[in-house]
Amino acid sequence: MRKNTYNLEFKLFLSGSTAWIGIAILLITGFAGLYFGKSFIDNQHSVIKKASILQTEHTLKNVEHFGKDIGLVFFHNKFSMANLPGNWAGFTIGQRDVNPYLISATMLALEGQIYDTDITNPVTLLSGNMDISFVFLYLFPLVIIAFTYNLISELKESGIWSVLRAQTNHIIAVIWQKLLVRLVSILFTALILLTTAVLYLNIKLDTTLFTVTILLLLYLGFWFALSFCIISLGKSSNYNASALIAIWVLICIVIPAALNLVLIRQYPIPEALQNVINQREGYHEKWDMPKEVTMKPFFAHYPQLRKLPFPSDKSFSWFWYYGMQQMGDDQAIKSKKAMENKLDARQHFTKVAALFFPTIQTQLMLNEMAGTDLSAHLQFQESYRKYHEQVRLHFYPAIFLEQDIHRTNLKDIGLKQFIPQKKSNLNGLLSIAVITLLLIAMSLFNFRKARLIR
């Protein structure tokens, strides 16, 4: 009997155009999001591949044109590192469209080069890049609202509600059946898109996939619980629709924008500009100072280079010039650390605030597990700083001793690859689950208060 009832509910639900239109919108936009997300990441892979080839070509050209002066070769030659996008990056692009994924810098002062990025159309940055995570985060909730806002009110407005109450003492079971039919339809659509994403993006069947699946199911469950809570108030269809859309706008648009403004005001980063100024002043002012002002702190930074002969009698030497460049970075250390501390504070504030807002929490967790969040980018920058330091220490002796460039292994050094460490804060899953359970409890309380549960 119960099976026949569910079959009837499915037939009633699927007989209307709303169900098919909603599911079609989700599938079409979901497939489009997969295509655009993968295309965006494929383009980055293509750029990284070309950069690897070009670095080798440019190194050979630099050796050919400036080979007689080893210091001049390294003045022009760049050393590159690429932040390789993983397969999950096609699922959620995150901040890969605004942060540089390829850093190329010479052996000169690093802090003036590490923040260089591609020239991008600001209109494109404003509109953003579509991926399938956008569909899950913003479109699925709208379809859930469209499926559930009149679940009870339509019965009341059509006059069927009084008949149902006269025929059964467990009217809440009828409501659960209607809700469950819509829940199954949405989850089935979500699993189709997720399965397609796994195959299309070549995603591994691992714990990350399991965590993402649980996260998305909890997020969709949250919106069903929220809709259930609103309809349990027993208001009209217009009221339910207006309230749910208002909540969607609040949770998905207004609150994230407001939190962003709070972050900007609470944790301003004037150190970003000051960092560049300190680096430039630290280098340029050394031209007019005695060489000892540069070389004393330089040798303190690199005591192992004291054994190399410094040509103090020359008005210019690469030894002194690269020492000045290093001093520019050293004078920017305090502002760099202050900027990093501000960014860490922003991250901490965002993670704490996200515990109370499932949309922000889900977005953060998806980006973390895909390695496309701010933390991954900061890891990338720090990894390049270490690599840049290794390059300096490796080639400084050859430059300062003015060796033949062909005696170095410069031609063998190609583009370095960086793979971000993916992580996930499981507290986010718990927070979404707790909020969802609270909404369900409130819904049941409202029904009990209205004497619908007997």
Side-chain angles (χ1 to χ4, degrees):
M1 182 66 181
R2 183 179 293 271
K3 182 179 179 180
N4 293 334
T5 304
Y6 278 113
N7 289 337
L8 179 60
E9 286 293 346
F10 268 109
K11 289 180 180 179
L12 289 173
F13 174 64
L14 297 176
S15 63
S17 59
T18 302
W20 293 109
I21 292 174
I23 292 173
I25 289 174
L26 293 178
L27 290 176
I28 292 172
T29 55
F31 294 146
L34 277 174
Y35 172 77
F36 289 123
K38 189 174 188 300
S39 298
F40 182 83
I41 297 303
D42 285 345
N43 181 65
Q44 291 194 348
H45 275 295
S46 177
V47 170
I48 291 171
K49 184 177 180 180
K50 291 178 182 178
S52 178
I53 297 172
L54 289 174
Q55 172 163 322
T56 302
E57 292 179 355
H58 288 172
T59 298
L60 294 176
K61 288 182 180 179
N62 287 332
V63 172
E64 180 183 352
H65 288 89
F66 311 108
K68 294 181 180 180
D69 189 338
I70 187 173
L72 202 55
V73 172
F74 285 98
F75 177 88
H76 291 282
N77 199 72
K78 291 190 174 184
F79 300 88
S80 302
M81 177 180 285
N83 182 2
L84 292 182
N87 294 339
W88 277 106
F91 190 94
T92 173
I93 296 172
Q95 296 193 17
R96 288 192 67 93
D97 57 347
V98 294
N99 292 324
Y101 59 92
L102 183 66
I103 299 178
S104 296
T106 64
M107 283 179 57
L108 306 183
L110 179 60
E111 292 304 315
Q113 305 178 77
I114 197 171
Y115 304 104
D116 292 343
T117 185
D118 295 334
I119 298 175
T120 307
N121 189 331
V123 176
T124 303
L125 289 178
L126 182 64
S127 59
N129 293 281
M130 182 177 177
D131 53 32
I132 192 173
S133 68
F134 173 84
V135 178
F136 276 103
L137 288 168
Y138 300 103
L139 299 188
F140 264 90
L142 288 175
V143 174
I144 291 173
I145 291 172
F147 283 179
T148 58
Y149 79 96
N150 60 349
L151 199 65
I152 298 177
S153 56
E154 184 182 36
L155 298 176
K156 289 185 176 180
E157 293 162 359
S158 62
I160 300 176
W161 182 257
S162 57
V163 177
L164 282 175
R165 294 203 62 179
Q167 291 181 345
T168 178
N169 291 328
H170 300 283
I171 197 169
I172 189 63
V174 177
I175 298 172
W176 276 117
Q177 288 176 1
K178 291 181 175 294
L179 189 67
L180 186 61
V181 165
R182 288 151 177 79
L183 177 64
V184 169
S185 301
I186 287 293
L187 295 185
F188 183 71
T189 305
L191 290 176
I192 289 177
L193 291 176
L194 191 57
T195 303
T196 305
V198 170
L199 298 175
Y200 187 61
L201 301 177
N202 195 26
I203 292 173
K204 294 181 180 179
L205 303 178
D206 54 12
T207 54
T208 301
L209 175 60
F210 176 77
T211 306
V212 168
T213 303
I214 298 300
L215 173 63
L216 293 177
L217 293 180
L218 278 175
Y219 180 68
L220 298 180
F222 158 76
W223 280 101
F224 269 104
L226 179 61
S227 297
F228 192 44
C229 185
I230 295 298
I231 65 176
S232 68
L233 298 175
K235 303 293 184 178
S236 66
S237 297
N238 290 336
Y239 175 90
N240 294 342
S242 300
L244 288 170
I245 292 297
I247 293 173
W248 179 87
V249 172
L250 186 67
I251 293 178
C252 297
I253 300 177
V254 176
I255 290 177
L259 287 177
N260 186 53
L261 291 176
V262 171
L263 280 177
I264 294 173
R265 291 179 62 88
Q266 189 71 23
Y267 304 102
I269 310 182
E271 295 84 359
L273 176 61
Q274 190 63 43
N275 185 52
V276 177
I277 293 175
N278 290 343
Q279 181 269 314
R280 291 184 180 274
E281 288 183 348
Y283 155 60
H284 286 291
E285 67 181 5
K286 299 300 188 298
W287 285 103
D288 303 318
M289 295 181 178
K291 292 182 176 62
E292 291 76 14
V293 176
T294 297
M295 302 315 298
K296 185 177 180 180
F298 179 76
F299 286 132
H301 188 113
Y302 297 113
Q304 66 270 39
L305 298 179
R306 289 181 181 273
K307 60 184 179 181
L308 301 179
F310 174 66
S312 58
D313 56 325
K314 292 184 178 180
S315 60
F316 175 85
S317 67
W318 289 114
F319 207 143
W320 173 55
Y321 181 79
Y322 282 102
M324 287 194 296
Q325 294 289 334
Q326 179 62 55
M327 290 306 96
D329 280 345
D330 285 354
Q331 286 194 208
I333 287 178
K334 289 185 178 179
S335 55
K336 178 180 75 71
K337 289 184 176 180
M339 181 173 62
E340 290 175 348
N341 291 336
K342 286 287 185 68
L343 291 174
D344 288 339
R346 284 188 172 190
Q347 281 285 90
H348 178 72
F349 175 86
T350 303
K351 288 181 178 180
V352 172
L355 293 174
F356 303 95
F357 305 106
T359 298
I360 302 176
Q361 182 66 68
T362 304
Q363 180 74 80
L364 286 178
M365 289 189 66
L366 287 176
N367 291 345
E368 284 180 354
M369 289 183 285
T372 59
D373 61 334
L374 177 60
S375 296
H377 177 65
L378 295 178
Q379 290 176 26
F380 174 48
Q381 285 187 333
E382 190 59 31
S383 180
Y384 186 84
R385 286 189 176 96
K386 293 178 181 178
Y387 171 60
H388 193 262
E389 183 76 355
Q390 292 173 0
V391 170
R392 279 175 167 173
L393 287 174
H394 181 73
F395 288 110
Y396 270 163
I399 297 172
F400 299 160
L401 294 174
E402 299 182 0
Q403 294 179 355
D404 185 344
I405 188 64
H406 298 286
R407 293 176 58 187
T408 68
N409 64 336
L410 175 61
K411 297 179 182 179
D412 299 328
I413 295 181
L415 181 141
K416 289 287 184 179
Q417 297 181 348
F418 170 79
I419 300 176
Q421 296 180 354
K422 300 176 183 178
K423 58 182 180 179
S424 60
N425 182 12
L426 297 182
N427 291 334
L429 294 176
L430 181 61
S431 70
I432 299 175
V434 169
I435 294 173
T436 301
L437 290 175
L438 288 175
L439 289 171
I440 292 175
M442 290 174 61
S443 303
L444 295 176
F445 174 78
N446 290 336
F447 279 121
R448 193 179 299 276
K449 186 177 178 181
R451 296 181 181 179
L452 296 181
I453 302 177
R454 297 182 183 177

